[in-house]
Amino acid sequence: MTPLQDRTLFRFFRDVLRHSVTGSLRYHLWMGSLTFLMALGTYAYLIQLNKGLGVTGMSDYVSWGLYISNFTFLVGIAAASVMLVLPAYILHDVDFSKAVLIGEGLAVTALLMCLAFVTVDMGGPHRLWHMIPKIGYFNWPQSMLTWDVIVLNGYLALNLLIPFYILFSHYRGRSPKKALYVPFIMFSVFWAVSIHLATAFLYAGLPSRPYWNNALLGPRFLASAFAGGPALMILILHFIKQNTDFPIAEETIRKLALIVTVAAQINLVMLGSELFKEFYAPTHHSQSATYLFFGLKGHKPLVPIIWTAILLNVFATLLFTFHRTRNNKPILLVSCTLLFAAIYLEKGMGLVVPGFIPSPLGEIVDYFPTWIEIAVTIGIWALGFFVFTLLVKAAIAIEKEYETHHRSEPH
Amino acid sequence: MSRTKAFLFGQTAEHQPPEEYTYPLLPPPQSTQAASASPSSTSACAAPSSCGCQPPKPTAVDTPYKALLKADLQEAEPADGISRREMLQHLLIGVAATAAVASGCSENLEKGSLNWEEYFKKNYRVMTAQERTDTVQRLERLAQMRNEKKPSIQTKNAIPGVLYGYAFNISKCKGYMDCVEACIKENNLDRKSGMQYIRMFEIEKGKFNVNLDHADGTYHHEVPAAGHVYMGTQCFQCENPPCVAVCPVGATWKEDDGIVVIDYDWCIGCRYCQSACPYWARRFNWHEPVVPNTEVNPIQHYLGNRKRKKGVMEKCTFCIQRSRDGKLPACAEACPTGARVFGNLLDPNSEIRYVLANKKVFRLKEDLGTEPKFWYFMD
């Protein structure tokens, strides 16, 4: 270990790097498998770069597919980290203070994955510099996509800056100054809501696609994110608790479960409201929903997906709602997994693809992702797991060392 | 008069190029005999004579830009008024020339420096007149180096006092699709994917509605079929275009004559505009587009029918390269039934104004407030 007085920024990064390359055989196997999957994704992406986006299942009819579905879902996961930050820093709920660093790591990871998914979806990724203000032509404030670029990158910066400051202070054996970082945390709380609203407005601002052009889309994005994100956090915290001696209070998981419960219930209320609007008095604008839930003119590829998602969603929400099932750890883990899967299916393929069907001229063309899209998607998820593992491993090591030396000091 | 639209279906298969482009013997640069257009032929050159990398003939050197190329390839001669851009070019070409000794192929290096300048050029909207001229020269030279038919790319601006509008007579259209064929040829549309800007719909009489619920956009039989009407769609050049607002990089905009255009070299291919268009008017290049060299229409406009590349959006521009020259768009000219009316909305004596004043016209999805400049009417 580097002596405390020699701990510079350079040594911080050197020690972080050392933490990331040392570990058990299981750790190396895990990182090795992820590297293999990333290589597979890279291979598929190179084919796509070379031949064009025509190697995907997308077409002029369904012009966004698996990539943008994953992007939309992951913005929600990034935004959900606010559900840990808010109680930990602002309500001074000490229970969350350990989990919050992990939450911020998850936000950073989800944002990197978002940026990766957007980049692989571009027809001209090498022309992305056209978006840089002043040098290029940044069509702000007209284009919602430019708003999304601002809020996502801003949120990424905030979620890198805050944990970096706390970890670097702890690394140097110091207590971080609240006056320095709490204002940024307050800011990040509002910012988190804005990233998911901006992403929802990207869709909701298109009158050409009645399925998305819906005032409930933004709130529903938030509700589903605040259910799915913390559900994933519970699974991660449980895994960390089981596999390391990083102290995570059982209370943290219990409170997170409560957050998931409320958000999942609100999400179901909104789903019911949407279904009522689409199917009580169906109009021409209900065709996309009809395509999604029941199929249209014999085309029904998404029907099994959406009903699986709804059943899982309702079942998981019920398990969360009853105290007995929520407080039972093995059942809680199952319901978290089911809910996460349900929201991934519903918000991914269930939101983006039916918005394009039928086309504005009434034509129905289905969308099926190709192996290239699936391989690239798996590669980006592997990248996410890889980055998250690195971030969390380093954070835990630094925090544990700080704890052993400064046990008496409050956070 | 009965025809089928078989030409469209036969055509795509016929012009399908081989999967791999091979150039055992390239014709000289100015020839138009090459079998097909290649996106990038990067064959390694051992000797200049065997790969066609000959210096351009001095007679072709007439502009300052080309003078610089000549300076590199022959002997340096002073060019007056050297700008910073040209200095950079000198530098690049100088570096390139040094490497040329090793590789023995200066044409690849010239191509590299042209592509470099093309990559860093500005959005067409903010280019100066000189920058526009420069990029056109680069594009024309690059086409020549790819052994394509030499294009003549215009940068003609909107004519003051002109606002283009279009009207479509549903009673007259018989679904022959001559408009579609003319559009493909005029606008150098990708033959490989069978891209079409115009969609033709066949609708059973009595089932007509503005949502096109019972419209068949894939009919393939002799027309006109009894008991059916035909209706074409294309880009409606909205006065309030939703596609323009959403573009994150301002690569698409409405010109002063009302035509919504795309800077193909500025588009990043995010396809947000395609989602925003309520009329399904935009087409994406999912693959490298292919137009056989013999079929390339060389009369082009920077914002119109010039060569596109994979990963960018394109759309109907009311044939900007024709309409700004006072001609009808190819579709209107090709229509054998007189169903297509095109003209200047600001000219009170134009045919389009007559139609708007005297026919019962309607537009698609007026509730969206996009204000299309494309009207339908019936006699």
Side-chain angles (χ1 to χ4, degrees), chain B residues 115-356:
Chain B
N115 280 328
W116 174 270
E117 286 230 357
E118 276 296 289
Y119 179 73
F120 285 108
K121 73 181 178 186
K122 295 184 202 159
N123 184 322
Y124 182 79
R125 261 194 289 185
V126 297
M127 280 184 196
T128 61
Q130 183 58 48
E131 284 167 337
R132 288 179 181 184
T133 313
D134 289 345
T135 181
V136 162
Q137 281 172 357
R138 286 194 297 266
L139 290 169
E140 288 177 356
R141 172 76 184 131
L142 281 166
Q144 193 186 16
M145 293 173 96
R146 283 189 303 259
N147 297 308
E148 289 167 5
K149 191 188 283 181
K150 189 171 185 288
S152 154
I153 304 173
Q154 314 160 26
T155 54
K156 194 176 269 184
N157 285 327
I159 305 159
V162 172
L163 187 67
Y164 293 114
Y166 211 120
F168 185 98
N169 189 339
I170 298 171
S171 313
K172 279 191 173 163
C173 179
K174 296 284 177 275
Y176 297 141
M177 297 188 73
D178 286 358
C179 51
V180 178
E181 188 189 16
C183 173
I184 292 171
K185 288 180 176 163
E186 169 65 32
N187 289 299
N188 296 320
L189 297 194
D190 176 29
R191 308 296 206 270
K192 197 176 176 184
S193 65
M195 188 187 285
Q196 299 173 10
Y197 291 162
I198 301 174
R199 294 300 313 277
M200 265 296 164
F201 291 94
E202 186 180 70
I203 309 162
E204 213 180 309
K205 277 182 185 161
K207 285 192 171 176
F208 180 84
N209 72 10
V210 288
N211 295 326
L212 301 176
D213 279 331
H214 309 285
D216 177 8
T218 58
Y219 68 91
H220 183 42
H221 51 72
E222 199 165 276
V223 291
H228 288 79
V229 293
Y230 297 86
M231 183 173 164
T233 67
Q234 58 202 68
C235 175
F236 295 160
Q237 321 292 349
C238 303
E239 263 305 275
N240 183 17
C243 52
V244 165
V246 300
C247 178
V249 294
T252 182
W253 64 92
K254 194 182 72 185
E255 290 273 285
D256 288 342
D257 50 9
I259 299 176
V260 176
V261 294
I262 300 171
D263 181 345
Y264 310 120
D265 294 333
W266 196 257
C267 171
I268 57 171
C270 72
R271 310 188 295 292
Y272 198 13
C273 55
Q274 206 167 25
S275 300
C277 175
Y279 305 110
W280 204 73
R282 290 181 166 248
R283 305 286 180 272
F284 189 67
N285 285 286
W286 299 94
H287 294 283
E288 191 72 43
V290 177
V291 182
N293 215 0
T294 49
E295 294 179 26
V296 168
N297 171 13
I299 310 299
Q300 302 176 3
H301 194 287
Y302 193 92
L303 302 172
N305 57 345
R306 75 182 166 102
K307 186 179 167 64
R308 277 79 74 185
K309 51 197 165 197
K310 74 167 188 277
V312 303
M313 199 60 72
E314 60 177 284
K315 62 183 273 299
C316 158
T317 61
F318 280 173
C319 289
I320 196 165
Q321 65 282 355
R322 293 174 60 92
S323 47
R324 285 190 181 171
D325 258 354
K327 295 180 197 153
L328 287 176
C331 51
E333 194 178 78
C335 180
T337 64
R340 291 176 170 270
V341 178
F342 177 82
N344 180 6
L345 293 168
L346 302 181
D347 174 4
N349 302 317
S350 62
E351 192 186 352
I352 180 90
R353 285 286 292 271
Y354 176 84
V355 169
L356 295 185

Side-chain angles (χ1 to χ4, degrees), chain A residues 199-232:
Chain A
T199 308
F201 290 171
L202 204 131
Y203 297 100
L206 301 177
S208 55
R209 311 282 172 175
Y211 181 65
W212 298 332
N213 186 217
N214 153 7
L216 196 56
L217 202 72
R220 179 117 196 269
F221 266 34
L222 290 176
S224 63
F226 293 159
L232 177 63

